[in-house]
Amino acid sequence: MTLTHRTHRPTPFGRALCAMITPFTASGALDLDGAQRLADRLVAEGCDGLVLSGTTGESPTTTDTEKAELIRAVRAAVGHRAVVVAGVGTADTRHTVELALAAEKAGADGLLAVTPYYSRPPQDAVEAHFRALADASGLPVALYDIPGRTGTRIEPETMIRLAAHPRIVAVKDCAYDLLGTQKVLAGTELAYYTGCDEYVLALYAIGGSGYIGTVANAAPRAFRAVVDAFDAGDTAEAARLQRRTIPLTELMMSSGLPGSVTAKALLGRLGLPGGPVRAPLRPAGQEVTDGLLAAHEELVTA
């Protein structure tokens, strides 16, 4: 699979990626058939890549065995039509390395690792953690910077140092710091992917490589259209298309519920694989779900 777009910034995983939910059966077991059907749909509707076992994929409540099974199932479903990136981030460097090796063996194309959470390591420890991960396998690594969840930034200076590692190639950016992002873009060749659906066009326009979206679980074409319009040179249309996604993005990502909860609620109403969330998460209520469905219908029919 050849992945190309604007020549000034590499796109190791494509432009349009979905942070895929992990489907479960009604009893809460891993639904591999559902995962394959959802993955096939997402790729058919414009996703260049699928990120498995991220936070949207409920990685804190899936076992190591389930994570590997999910990679194998999705790889079998999409073949080489899309890149498969495995979330391997934990608060434990040793466990992160173990997950990386298992993901490589299961057939992943790349790794996504969040900053170690809760323990709030200093920057030299953050850097050592990611270097240990990148040294452990032959897969390219994307760093996931989301201090609002982890409690710790990957500071721009740390990013710039880590960019010298040959297998650290990308960043999933949820830091809400465009100044810091631009410093890293100016000083490295790291591929920057926004993990914030409302920033798809903003980051792409300043030299980003694309997005890793949660809302894309339910509306993959709508977000792909934004970057396609920008690549075609129609920036006004790209802006219009980005604005169209805001009502659904706001409901799905700013309702006070995790994106995994709202994405599964909407997918269920659309008759798509998803199933329940695992405790301690709880399902979305009827009012939230009705709002999500209305916003989705408005987006896809506009």
Side-chain angles (χ1 to χ4, degrees):
M1 181 177 182
T2 301
L3 304 174
T4 59
H5 90 301
R6 296 166 298 159
T7 58
H8 74 281
R9 184 61 52 174
T11 55
F13 305 126
R15 299 175 299 160
L17 285 82
C18 177
M20 198 178 100
I21 58 102
T22 299
F24 299 132
T25 66
S27 66
L30 185 63
D31 180 5
L32 293 177
D33 177 70
Q36 290 184 315
R37 288 186 285 116
L38 180 61
D40 183 70
R41 171 185 176 271
L42 291 169
V43 173
E45 295 197 4
C47 292
D48 297 321
L50 304 172
V51 176
L52 308 180
S53 296
T55 309
T56 301
E58 298 179 74
S59 57
T61 56
T62 57
T63 68
D64 293 3
T65 298
E66 287 175 327
K67 289 177 173 65
E69 289 175 345
L70 182 64
I71 294 168
R72 286 192 289 268
V74 169
R75 172 92 286 161
V78 305
H80 294 288
R81 292 179 294 144
V83 171
V84 174
V85 179
V88 298
T90 76
D92 175 0
T93 302
R94 180 174 58 180
H95 189 198
T96 296
V97 167
E98 289 171 353
L99 287 174
L101 294 174
E104 185 174 25
K105 184 177 180 181
D109 298 302
L111 306 171
L112 174 70
V114 73
T115 318
Y117 39 84
Y118 190 77
S119 57
R120 297 174 69 101
Q123 289 298 298
D124 61 340
V126 169
E127 183 175 346
H129 171 84
F130 286 126
R131 287 189 183 279
L133 168 62
D135 287 341
S137 87
L139 296 180
V141 174
L143 311 177
Y144 187 6
D145 189 20
I146 182 167
R149 291 285 188 95
T150 65
T152 304
R153 274 293 306 270
I154 310 174
E155 296 291 348
E157 294 76 14
T158 304
M159 292 277 197
I160 291 169
R161 290 194 300 272
L162 285 168
H165 195 291
R167 282 187 293 280
I168 295 177
V169 300
V171 176
K172 180 180 178 182
D173 184 11
C174 288
Y176 289 98
D177 176 16
L178 281 178
L179 178 60
T181 293
Q182 289 176 87
K183 287 171 64 176
V184 181
L185 285 170
T188 76
E189 286 299 309
L190 288 172
Y192 254 76
Y193 295 88
T194 183
C196 306
D197 299 77
E198 68 273 27
Y199 273 86
V200 168
L201 180 58
L203 184 57
Y204 202 58
I206 61 172
S209 293
Y211 61 87
I212 300 174
T214 294
V215 186
N217 278 280
R221 291 185 188 277
F223 286 90
R224 179 61 186 251
V226 174
V227 295
D228 283 349
F230 188 87
D231 280 347
D234 193 343
T235 56
E237 176 66 1
R240 185 188 73 83
L241 292 170
Q242 174 75 66
R243 289 192 295 268
R244 286 180 55 225
T245 67
I246 293 304
L248 181 58
T249 295
E250 185 172 25
L251 285 173
M252 189 173 287
M253 305 305 294
S254 301
S255 65
L257 297 172
S260 51
V261 172
T262 52
K264 282 192 167 183
L266 180 53
L267 289 173
R269 288 290 292 272
L270 294 173
L272 297 169
V277 290
R278 284 182 175 171
L281 297 180
R282 296 175 63 83
Q286 186 71 38
E287 183 177 353
V288 170
T289 305
D290 288 346
L292 289 166
L293 183 61
H296 179 269
E297 290 178 350
E298 181 178 355
L299 174 60
V300 300
T301 59

